[in-house]
Amino acid sequence: MALSCLSFEYHCVINAWGNETIEVCAPKLRIVGNNCAEYSQGGKRLQRNGIVPCKNCPSHYFSNESFKYQECYEHVNNAKTSHTTQLTTESISVESTEENVYQSTSVTPMENSARLVQNIDNQNTPSHIIIISVCVVVGLAGIIIVFTARQQSWANKICSHFKRIVLQSEGSKMTTPEPAIRNVEEGLEVQNRLLEKETQIQEVFYKLNESSDNANSNAVSS
């Protein structure tokens, strides 16, 4: 290579990343500072490398004298060794991953089913039982509340129906004028009827309460 450099100087310098050496014919350049000389493939020129330090390099020297300072080339060798070690580590990691994938794919469907059942059994912890119990209690409470509300609405409808009958009977009696004695007797009859209606209403409420208690006891026992 040195024989082919007619008008320029032969150089063997590192690249911009400090991981390779480059042989090139180029005009020599003064390198200032304790750094290695590099050839920039992007800029197509020699320049000072600001990444790779060189303790043995003088404060200034010509680029064609880079071969005198082996520290720059040792940095390239170390970079290559580090890169080779990294590739070896990645290869071992890939092989380990492939082995794990092979082991996982070699499991039979029966073994997968057994593992699934085991995972389900492990998930049946006391916390799940507590959550299920709370849901059941809340559901029963909701059923009792709905049943009680419907029962009260039925009782209100019965009371309003009886009140409407009593008011209609009183209104019909007031529209027909009769003697005072008959009014008194009819008033007593109305009072007796009201008492009978009140007794009937009380009996209805008693039966409704009794059926509500039976329903609540059945719901709790279920």
Side-chain angles (χ1 to χ4, degrees):
M1 184 82 180
L3 296 176
S4 64
C5 295
L6 300 177
S7 58
F8 297 109
E9 298 290 337
Y10 170 77
H11 291 77
C12 180
V13 294
I14 64 175
N15 63 357
W17 294 277
N19 56 3
E20 293 288 343
T21 56
I22 298 175
E23 292 180 299
V24 63
C25 294
K28 64 181 180 180
L29 178 72
R30 183 181 294 274
I31 305 300
V32 180
N34 301 102
N35 288 86
C36 299
E38 70 168 35
Y39 179 75
S40 173
Q41 292 178 328
K44 304 295 182 183
R45 63 189 179 89
L46 290 165
Q47 60 187 19
R48 170 178 173 271
N49 186 291
I51 299 175
V52 181
C54 181
K55 296 181 181 179
N56 296 325
C57 295
S59 58
H60 56 86
Y61 63 95
F62 286 104
S63 57
N64 62 339
E65 298 176 352
S66 298
F67 66 92
K68 296 180 181 180
Y69 313 109
Q70 294 297 314
E71 185 177 355
C72 298
Y73 306 105
E74 290 175 358
H75 180 82
V76 173
N77 293 330
N78 293 333
K80 288 182 178 180
T81 303
S82 176
H83 182 66
T84 303
T85 304
Q86 183 179 1
L87 290 177
T88 304
T89 304
E90 291 177 354
S91 176
I92 294 172
S93 177
V94 170
E95 290 177 357
S96 176
T97 304
E98 290 177 352
E99 183 178 357
N100 291 333
V101 171
Y102 173 76
Q103 290 178 355
S104 63
T105 54
S106 63
V107 177
T108 62
M110 293 296 294
E111 292 177 349
N112 282 330
S113 300
R115 291 180 181 178
L116 180 61
V117 172
Q118 185 177 2
N119 292 332
I120 293 173
D121 292 337
N122 292 333
Q123 290 178 357
N124 290 330
T125 56
S127 61
H128 291 80
I129 296 173
I130 293 172
I131 293 172
I132 293 171
S133 301
V134 171
C135 292
V136 171
V137 172
V138 171
L140 291 175
I143 292 171
I144 292 171
I145 291 171
V146 171
F147 183 77
T148 305
R150 288 185 177 179
Q151 207 170 40
Q152 289 179 354
S153 64
W154 293 340
N156 292 331
K157 288 180 180 179
I158 293 171
C159 291
S160 62
H161 180 68
F162 281 120
K163 286 181 181 179
R164 187 167 57 253
I165 292 172
V166 172
L167 292 174
Q168 287 177 357
S169 63
E170 288 180 353
S172 63
K173 296 297 181 182
M174 290 176 65
T175 54
T176 56
E178 294 183 356
I181 297 174
R182 292 189 61 184
N183 289 336
V184 173
E185 291 176 354
E186 288 177 358
L188 293 174
E189 289 179 0
V190 170
Q191 187 176 1
N192 292 330
R193 289 181 182 177
L194 289 174
L195 292 174
E196 290 177 359
K197 299 296 183 180
E198 184 177 0
T199 303
Q200 292 177 359
I201 292 171
Q202 290 178 357
E203 290 177 357
V204 170
F205 274 107
Y206 177 77
K207 290 181 180 180
L208 289 174
N209 291 328
E210 185 178 2
S211 61
S212 175
D213 293 336
N214 293 330
N216 291 333
S217 62
N218 291 330
V220 173
S221 61
S222 61

